[in-house]
Amino acid sequence: MDGVLVIDKPLGPTSFDVVRQVRSLLKVKKAGHTGTLDPMATGVLPVCLGEATKVAGYITEGDKAYDAVVRLGVETDTQDAQGKATSQSPVPPLTAAVLEAVLAPFRGTFEQVPPMYSAVKIAGKRLYELARAGEEVERASRTVTVHELVLRDFSADRLTLSVRCSKGFYVRTLAYDIGRALGCGAHLEALRRTASGPFTLARALPLGDLASLSRETVAGRLVSLGDALTELPLVRVGAEDAKRVSHGVPVEVSPLPGKVRVLGPDGELLAMAEVVGGRLRYLRVFV
């Protein structure tokens, strides 16, 4: 069984828990997730099976989309609802105009400091390991991009947002920063990922349904390797060059930026590569 199974992750389990359940239920040897979701988050979690595990690292490069609920007036040590409250402040009167002015700086490309409770490594240690030991260290900011940030609704102490962002963006930190901008503090109360690269909720299978489905039905829901990498530019080669690709022989192509997927004359995925000096330099060959 080779391909990407898009799981609608429920509230509670970790991404690793989901992978273990998928591996056990489908009786597959190779499985891995792309783009970790926190236990409190739900939604799109692409799980790579079999040969697809070879491209898991590339699948994570795509943009992400989320629906989020931000609770105002309370900050937590983890910046989300799973943490301990560290401060409480009254929420100022809110209007759509006030909130749009606060959200405006968080659209486009800017610098974001990752939270202490994150998997970012500093000096060989995960930040969450240091945080659990009671340490807080200086973190370098990262360049992130928010392509879309929409205020869906608000009440006296809650905001509902939709976000479409680049890889590596922390919605928890967005909630924290919005709270600081309003002067009352905030944390992320709920998060649902609606898309990860080309994978959307429309293609997702609820984890709870997996046990009741036949292997054939699940196989029919798999996204092929070629379709999983549709965000990469496409290079198509003829029959003769396809043979060269299969043997790892460089092939001359039109210059393209960055990584590409290489398809044969019948549309099969032959390889992933980078175009260097007008020639393919292979990252993965699949045939």
Side-chain angles (χ1 to χ4, degrees), residues 61-177:
E61 298 294 324
D63 291 338
K64 311 292 188 293
Y66 301 91
D67 288 337
V69 177
V70 178
R71 169 72 188 280
L72 303 175
V74 180
E75 288 188 349
T76 71
D77 55 359
T78 59
Q79 299 182 349
D80 63 24
Q82 292 194 313
K84 297 177 181 178
T86 56
S87 67
Q88 296 189 36
S89 301
V91 181
L94 302 178
T95 66
V98 166
L99 292 173
E100 287 296 343
V102 167
L103 295 179
F106 301 109
R107 297 183 177 108
T109 299
F110 55 92
E111 295 295 306
Q112 186 186 61
V113 177
M116 275 301 301
Y117 280 88
S118 65
V120 175
K121 279 188 175 182
I122 291 184
K125 288 192 174 183
R126 303 283 187 186
L127 282 176
Y128 64 75
E129 294 175 334
L130 298 173
R132 288 169 182 166
E135 298 181 47
E136 180 159 354
V137 297
E138 187 174 346
R139 288 97 69 198
S141 63
R142 295 179 166 194
T143 302
V144 294
T145 299
V146 172
H147 305 288
E148 188 176 30
L149 175 58
V150 179
L151 176 64
R152 297 293 182 190
D153 198 7
F154 67 94
S155 64
D157 62 354
R158 282 175 174 81
L159 312 178
T160 302
L161 307 171
S162 291
V163 186
R164 187 168 61 86
C165 54
S166 62
K167 171 191 174 184
F169 181 79
Y170 285 93
V171 184
R172 280 184 288 143
T173 300
L174 171 66
Y176 172 87
D177 289 340

Side-chain angles (χ1 to χ4, degrees), residues 58 61 232-234 256-261 272-275 283:
Y58 303 107
E61 298 294 324
L232 294 179
L234 168 64
L256 286 170
K259 301 179 181 69
V260 299
R261 55 195 165 104
M272 287 187 57
E274 288 181 313
V275 181
L283 302 171

Side-chain angles (χ1 to χ4, degrees), residues 188-263:
L188 184 65
E189 186 172 67
L191 184 68
R192 182 160 177 76
R193 186 155 67 187
T194 57
S196 177
F199 309 107
T200 64
L201 279 174
R203 307 177 80 166
L205 181 67
L207 181 63
D209 292 355
L210 196 57
S212 62
L213 298 177
S214 68
R215 190 176 178 86
E216 292 72 22
T217 299
V218 174
R221 297 291 294 267
L222 292 179
V223 180
S224 69
L225 287 180
D227 289 341
L229 297 167
T230 52
E231 293 196 337
L232 294 179
L234 168 64
V235 171
R236 192 180 293 275
V237 298
E240 288 302 313
D241 280 341
K243 293 178 182 177
R244 295 185 180 93
V245 171
S246 67
H247 290 95
V249 178
V251 172
E252 291 188 1
V253 296
S254 299
L256 286 170
K259 301 179 181 69
V260 299
R261 55 195 165 104
V262 184
L263 268 60

